[in-house]
Amino acid sequence: MPVYFILSKSDFGSEAKKVLAGAITDVHCAVTGAPSRYVTVLFMTGYRLLNEKKTMLLGNIRIDGNRTRELVDQLRHRLVGAVAEKLGEPDSAVGLSFLGVYSNWVWEGGEVIPVPGKELV
Amino acid sequence: MLTTTQYEHKKRQQLKKILATVGEGQFSHRQIKSLESFIRQNYRTFINAEPVLVIWNQVPSQNIFHDYHSGQPSILVIESGKDLQQHQRVAMFEACTRDWLRLTGQRIDQLIISILEGAVFKALLQRNSQHLTKRGKIIYFFKIGTDLLVSKLLDDYYAFKSSF
């Protein structure tokens, strides 16, 4: 956790997927302070998106600990900007929706995941 | 008064679900069936004695990245009731991890498990289709529905490919 599902109509190609996954991981870690070992990105294709979006990011993120509304807003803004930039599209071509999950609901690396801000980096 | 079909539909909707996301072709049919059997058993032991529906989401392995690298982490998302205690959740995590790693040979850092309350789990399941055009929704539901039906008939478990 986080797990980002990236929906798009067609496949971006292997190099672009690597770049996008890297950009999403970079932004998530820079904004939240979470270690990159927690970040998973999955691409799913065949999705005809509303409002002519090129891609839609569905992020499952932790919402407790140090995750304030401001921090989540900043994460949203920077993720959309980073993905749009990598795709060479305007920000409006990228959609994002978060689903908040409590840390104690998640198990990763053989332990209950720590609350945000308490991870060992 | 509900008809038999309506009753069965309602019952299916109320059934608690588990979504297992794995790499496409990563595990054999036999492995998947064994994993499903252990997951069900653990669910009965630690969470709820009621039946649970396991659905396998198969993702092309080149579409999964973890910690910057292309790889094949497996993600189990389990639906629970609101009153689940944390010790039950941890017992389920531990049992599923033990069985999963033994049956798949995956490393401990390649398995992510979450146990979500019903409302959050439903939001997760419904999310993909919410951002689609009308035509996109028809294609999505047709494709997923067909995959589930075919896999149940041929392999005896419910599976779909989330990229099409």
Side-chain angles (χ1 to χ4, degrees), chain A residues 12 33 41 51 63 70 73 87 89 105-106 109 111 113 120-121:
Chain A
F12 292 120
V41 182
N51 306 321
I63 47 162
E70 291 73 26
D73 284 345
L87 291 175
E89 298 282 349
W105 291 1
V106 185
E111 60 175 12
I113 200 166
L120 294 172
V121 181

Side-chain angles (χ1 to χ4, degrees), chain A residues 17 26 36-37 39-50 56 58 60 97 99 104-107, chain B residues 63 65-68 86 89 93 97 112-115 124 127-128 131-133 135 139 162-164:
Chain A
K17 281 188 282 196
D26 281 345
S36 62
R37 67 176 180 276
V39 185
T40 302
V41 182
L42 286 97
F43 292 87
M44 305 201 300
T45 57
Y47 296 80
R48 293 164 186 266
L49 298 169
L50 279 171
M56 183 78 205
L58 305 175
N60 302 344
S97 166
L99 183 72
N104 67 312
W105 291 1
V106 185
W107 175 267
Chain B
N63 283 9
F65 292 81
H66 182 74
D67 195 4
Y68 293 104
Q86 185 62 8
R89 201 176 264 116
F93 286 146
T97 301
I112 303 162
I113 311 174
S114 52
I115 302 178
L124 178 97
R127 222 158 45 139
N128 282 13
H131 304 281
L132 303 182
T133 61
R135 189 171 174 209
I139 295 169
S162 54
S163 282
F164 41 88

Side-chain angles (χ1 to χ4, degrees), chain A residues 8-68:
Chain A
S8 63
K9 188 175 173 192
S10 48
D11 195 295
F12 292 120
S14 56
E15 194 50 42
K17 281 188 282 196
K18 192 177 174 188
V19 168
L20 287 169
I24 290 165
T25 306
D26 281 345
V27 170
H28 186 92
C29 296
V31 174
T32 67
S36 62
R37 67 176 180 276
Y38 287 149
V39 185
T40 302
V41 182
L42 286 97
F43 292 87
M44 305 201 300
T45 57
Y47 296 80
R48 293 164 186 266
L49 298 169
L50 279 171
N51 306 321
E52 299 184 355
K53 300 269 185 219
K54 290 287 175 199
T55 189
M56 183 78 205
L57 281 64
L58 305 175
N60 302 344
I61 61 168
R62 288 171 291 160
I63 47 162
D64 45 2
N66 64 7
R67 299 276 162 93
T68 59

